[in-house]
Amino acid sequence: MSRTVTRSAQSTTNGLVPPTRAATGGVRVLAVGGESGPGPLQSLRQWAPDLGIDLEWAADLPRATRLLAGGHWDLVLAVLGDRSDEELTWWVDALRAAHGGTRLIALADRPSMGLALRAEKLGVLDLLALPLKREALATALARVRSAATEVALPLPPGEGDTEDHYALVGQSPAMLEVYKVMARVASSTATVLILGESGTGKEVVARTIHQHGPAATGPFVAVNCAAIPENLLESELFGHEKGAFTGAVARKIGRFEQAGGGTLFLDEIADMSLALQAKILRAVQEREIERVGGGESIPVTVRLIAATNRNLQEAITQGRFREDLYYRLAVVTIQLPRLVDRGDDLLLLIGHFARLFGARYRKAIDALSDRALELLRNHQWVGNVRELRNVIERAAIVVSDGTLRSEHLPDELRAEEPGVPDHTSGALPTLAEAEARHIARVLSHTGGQIGAAAEVLGIHRNTLTRKMKEYGL
């Protein structure tokens, strides 16, 4: 990957970030504390030498406007008044007009959720509460210095339609083998079993096989078996008759019938009970089903594609999965690689998601900084492509100038960089705080998939759900 990126960077000299004073350590800061002078920012005078700040004061907006026009500033600290929303917009517009690289930290007596959302949307570096804390300022200065040293590398050209949410992106040898098997099986009606860790793209592969198969004109119906309670899953798959159980006030058509003439995708099939596995086996063998509470056999014409992130051979040995069902499902087996095993595909996927979410949020994202790329490459990607997708979407939301930088990445990724302190907390956390943060981090890795997160944490999904409610996650 490094050779590809270096070659791209050399071919687009205009994409390089020009060196600034901040890149060499000194940060030129303009502080606007209101008409009465420094006021709530008075402590800045004491902090400036130790923090490496070249500080200038502006008592009011007219003087601040003149100073902005007169030279380059790395950072503006602005105290917001009573009309905070309007003032925030004014500052962002003024900085863009004066110097596109100047960052803004807005300070308010009582920052609200609405003001925080507004600041995030406008691309403000940070919104801090008054009185200003030295640690918070030091963290912001570190972000300014880091961004000043980052080099913008052009993203690779896109593959396919950026509006295609289910596009298969990648050119690695591991994915090429996947493509070959998909090409062989797509034109048939054979049952397919897709294996791979959570977030590797099992549903994307299933949709692609459907779209290129004889049932392409029919529906594609996806069911996540792990997301539906066991007592409801049978009714969800096979439907039920009126009065079959308490609450069954009308006949319900199940997913097998809904997928008639098309494809039924059963994700996380290893999570269903042995009793329900037996009914799936009958449906596959006999090509017919029975609704819950009904005695009539209903023929179904549907292509079945199943998927799981579990080791089915191990589950069979442990008596948790039927061996006869396994052989019925595994007519053709596709093993999806982990993201960390796909090499240069990482950069292609970053480019694809940057264009996808750039179009969604109306931003032209065409570059990635060298430090952001290094952080993304060194990350373990427990949640695979789904986790990467979530990370790039989050970055696309907060980016303001078309280049994804390290500051746009989640805290947990930036904390992985050697020598970078974790500023997410000051004092040592309590046990509950540490547990809440760890659960939040694992959920981020798994793209919010509770079942996968519970497996990583080694606890039951019901326990995880309870803890999420307890911690407000």
Side-chain angles (χ1 to χ4, degrees), residues 69 106 109 136 156 158 169 190 196 222 242 268 270 318 321 330 353 380 425 434:
D109 287 320
V169 176
K242 179 179 179 180
E268 307 304 348
Q318 296 173 352
F321 197 82
F353 291 136
Q380 291 304 304
S425 64

Side-chain angles (χ1 to χ4, degrees), residues 413-426:
L413 263 75
R414 288 190 279 115
E416 292 170 2
E417 187 175 18
V420 176
D422 184 0
H423 296 288
T424 57
S425 64

Side-chain angles (χ1 to χ4, degrees), residues 14 17 152 154 243 266-267 283 412 432:
N14 291 336
V17 176
L266 298 181
D267 196 8
E412 58 265 25

